[in-house]
């Protein structure tokens, strides 16, 4: 059981995969359709849970289709960066030592990314 837990995807990766599948589909998708796109290793119930969470966050909308729902993104694929930013905030909020988390994040930036971040921070002043 420990091995299965160790093999879990990083937080947010599954949401990003589900969103990518919805954007690629170009139309509303049922959980079963999303599952087929992502691969058989995911249970349909897992995909349904992720879609429900995305709906609760306001990232996707849904409409009734048969006994279930078909889901579609609220924003286009260009908002993938917005989803990534929300995931970063979520991860930051999970740890009480924000200073250490941010310091480690910055320490892993490439010089170009560090320059971009510095420019963004300085432009807000």
């Amino acid at each position: 059981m420990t091995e299965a837990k160790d093999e879990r995807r990083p937080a947010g990766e599954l949401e990003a995969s589900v969103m990518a599948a919805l954007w690629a589909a170009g139309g509303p998708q049922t959980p079963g359709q999303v599952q087929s796109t992502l691969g058989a290793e995911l249970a349909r119930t897992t995909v349904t849970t992720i879609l429900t969470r995305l709906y609760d966050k306001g990232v996707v909308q849904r409409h009734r289709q048969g006994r279930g729902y078909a889901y579609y993104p609220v924003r286009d694929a260009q908002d993938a960066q917005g989803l990534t930013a929300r995931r970063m905030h979520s991860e930051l909020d999970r740890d009480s030592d924000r200073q250490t988390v941010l310091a480690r994040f910055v320490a892993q930036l490439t010089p170009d990314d560090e320059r971009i971040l510095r420019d963004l921070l300085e432009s807000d002043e």
Side-chain angles (χ1 to χ4, degrees), residues 14 42-51:
L14 189 52
L42 288 175
R44 186 188 51 75
T45 54
T46 300
V47 174
T48 301
T49 298
I50 296 300
L51 286 165

Side-chain angles (χ1 to χ4, degrees), residues 19-119:
M19 289 303 299
L22 290 175
W23 282 317
Q29 297 286 291
T30 65
Q33 292 169 318
V34 173
Q35 177 198 23
S36 295
T37 300
L38 295 178
E41 74 274 0
L42 288 175
R44 186 188 51 75
T45 54
T46 300
V47 174
T48 301
T49 298
I50 296 300
L51 286 165
T52 301
R53 288 179 183 166
L54 290 169
Y55 174 77
D56 291 342
K57 292 177 183 180
V59 177
V60 299
Q61 281 297 321
R62 65 186 183 192
H63 66 81
R64 183 64 76 177
Q65 185 168 323
R67 292 178 23 195
Y69 291 101
Y71 295 82
Y72 55 95
V74 172
R75 296 178 180 93
D76 63 16
Q78 298 300 318
D79 196 44
Q81 295 83 4
L83 181 59
T84 301
R86 283 190 295 279
R87 284 183 18 226
M88 290 171 66
H89 276 283
S90 177
E91 288 301 314
L92 185 59
D93 290 342
R94 290 180 191 196
D95 197 307
S96 61
D97 188 358
R98 294 172 77 91
Q99 183 174 349
T100 300
V101 172
L102 287 169
R104 289 190 177 175
F105 174 76
V106 170
Q108 295 175 8
L109 291 175
T110 65
D112 286 341
D113 288 342
E114 189 175 326
R115 180 189 49 75
I116 291 168
L117 182 57
R118 185 173 284 112
D119 290 348

